[in-house]
Coordinates of all heavy atoms in Angstrom, one line a residue:
D124 N 96.9 128.0 -15.8 CA 96.7 127.5 -17.2 C 98.0 127.4 -17.8 O 98.4 126.5 -18.6 CB 95.8 128.5 -17.9 CG 94.4 128.5 -17.5 OD1 94.0 127.5 -16.8 OD2 93.5 129.4 -17.8
V125 N 98.9 128.5 -17.6 CA 100.3 128.4 -18.2 C 101.0 127.2 -17.6 O 101.8 126.5 -18.3 CB 101.0 129.7 -17.7 CG1 102.5 129.6 -18.1 CG2 100.3 130.9 -18.3
K126 N 100.8 127.0 -16.3 CA 101.5 125.8 -15.7 C 101.0 124.4 -16.2 O 101.8 123.5 -16.4 CB 101.4 125.9 -14.2 CG 102.3 127.0 -13.5 CD 102.0 127.2 -12.0 CE 102.6 128.3 -11.4 NZ 102.4 128.5 -9.9
Q127 N 99.7 124.5 -16.6 CA 99.1 123.2 -17.3 C 99.9 122.8 -18.4 O 100.3 121.7 -18.7 CB 97.8 123.3 -17.3 CG 96.8 122.9 -16.3 CD 95.4 122.9 -16.9 OE1 95.1 122.4 -17.9 NE2 94.5 123.5 -16.2
I128 N 100.1 123.8 -19.3 CA 100.7 123.6 -20.6 C 102.2 123.3 -20.3 O 102.8 122.4 -21.0 CB 100.6 124.8 -21.4 CG1 99.1 125.1 -21.8 CG2 101.4 124.8 -22.7 CD1 98.8 126.4 -22.5
I129 N 102.9 124.1 -19.4 CA 104.3 123.7 -19.2 C 104.4 122.2 -18.6 O 105.4 121.6 -19.1 CB 104.9 124.7 -18.1 CG1 104.9 126.1 -18.7 CG2 106.2 124.2 -17.6 CD1 105.2 127.1 -17.5
E130 N 103.6 121.8 -17.8 CA 103.6 120.5 -17.2 C 103.5 119.4 -18.4 O 104.2 118.5 -18.4 CB 102.6 120.2 -16.1 CG 103.1 120.9 -14.9 CD 102.0 120.8 -13.9 OE1 100.9 120.2 -14.0 OE2 102.0 121.6 -12.8
A131 N 102.6 119.5 -19.2 CA 102.3 118.8 -20.3 C 103.5 118.6 -21.3 O 103.8 117.6 -21.7 CB 100.9 119.1 -21.1
A132 N 104.0 119.9 -21.5 CA 105.1 119.9 -22.5 C 106.3 119.3 -22.0 O 107.0 118.3 -22.6 CB 105.4 121.3 -22.8
H133 N 106.7 119.6 -20.7 CA 108.0 119.0 -20.1 C 107.9 117.6 -19.9 O 108.8 116.8 -20.0 CB 108.3 119.7 -18.8 CG 108.9 121.1 -19.0 ND1 109.0 121.9 -17.8 CD2 109.1 121.7 -20.0 CE1 109.5 123.1 -18.3 NE2 109.7 123.0 -19.7
E134 N 106.6 117.0 -19.7 CA 106.5 115.6 -19.5 C 106.8 114.8 -20.8 O 107.1 113.6 -20.7 CB 104.9 115.4 -19.1 CG 104.6 113.9 -18.8 CD 103.1 113.6 -18.4 OE1 102.5 114.8 -18.0 OE2 102.7 112.6 -18.6
H135 N 106.6 115.5 -21.9 CA 106.9 115.0 -23.1 C 108.1 115.4 -23.9 O 108.4 115.3 -25.1 CB 105.7 115.0 -24.1 CG 104.5 114.3 -23.5 ND1 103.5 114.8 -22.7 CD2 104.0 113.0 -23.9 CE1 102.8 114.0 -22.4 NE2 102.9 112.8 -23.1
G136 N 109.1 116.0 -23.0 CA 110.4 116.5 -23.6 C 110.2 117.8 -24.5 O 111.1 117.9 -25.4
V137 N 109.3 118.5 -24.4 CA 108.9 119.7 -25.2 C 109.4 120.9 -24.5 O 109.0 121.1 -23.2 CB 107.5 119.8 -25.6 CG1 107.3 121.2 -26.4 CG2 107.2 118.6 -26.6
F138 N 110.2 121.8 -25.0 CA 110.6 123.1 -24.3 C 109.4 124.1 -24.4 O 108.6 124.0 -25.4 CB 111.8 123.7 -24.9 CG 113.1 122.8 -24.6 CD1 113.6 122.0 -25.6 CD2 113.7 122.8 -23.5 CE1 114.8 121.3 -25.4 CE2 114.7 122.1 -23.2 CZ 115.3 121.3 -24.2
V139 N 109.5 125.1 -23.6 CA 108.3 126.2 -23.5 C 108.9 127.5 -23.7 O 109.7 128.0 -23.0 CB 107.5 126.0 -22.2 CG1 106.3 127.0 -22.2 CG2 106.9 124.6 -22.1
I140 N 108.4 128.3 -24.6 CA 108.4 129.7 -24.7 C 107.3 130.3 -24.0 O 106.1 130.0 -24.2 CB 108.5 130.2 -26.1 CG1 109.7 129.8 -27.0 CG2 108.4 131.7 -26.2 CD1 109.7 130.0 -28.5
I141 N 107.5 131.2 -23.1 CA 106.4 131.8 -22.5 C 106.6 133.4 -23.0 O 107.6 134.0 -22.8 CB 106.4 131.9 -20.9 CG1 106.4 130.6 -20.4 CG2 105.3 132.9 -20.3 CD1 106.2 130.5 -18.9
S142 N 105.6 133.8 -23.8 CA 105.6 135.0 -24.6 C 104.6 136.1 -24.1 O 103.7 135.9 -23.6 CB 105.5 134.7 -26.0 OG 104.2 134.3 -26.3
N143 N 105.1 137.3 -24.5 CA 104.2 138.3 -24.4 C 104.4 139.4 -25.6 O 105.6 139.6 -25.9 CB 104.4 139.1 -23.1 CG 103.8 140.5 -22.9 OD1 104.3 141.6 -22.7 ND2 102.4 140.5 -23.1
H144 N 103.3 139.9 -26.2 CA 103.4 140.8 -27.3 C 102.6 141.9 -27.0 O 101.4 141.8 -26.7 CB 102.9 140.0 -28.7 CG 103.6 138.8 -28.9 ND1 103.4 137.7 -28.1 CD2 104.6 138.6 -29.8 CE1 104.4 136.7 -28.7 NE2 105.1 137.2 -29.7

Side-chain angles (χ1 to χ4, degrees):
D124 293 340
V125 175
K126 288 175 182 176
Q127 268 191 50
I128 295 173
I129 292 171
E130 286 171 11
H133 286 172
E134 186 179 338
H135 293 87
V137 174
F138 293 104
V139 180
I140 291 171
I141 297 186
S142 64
N143 173 236
H144 302 76

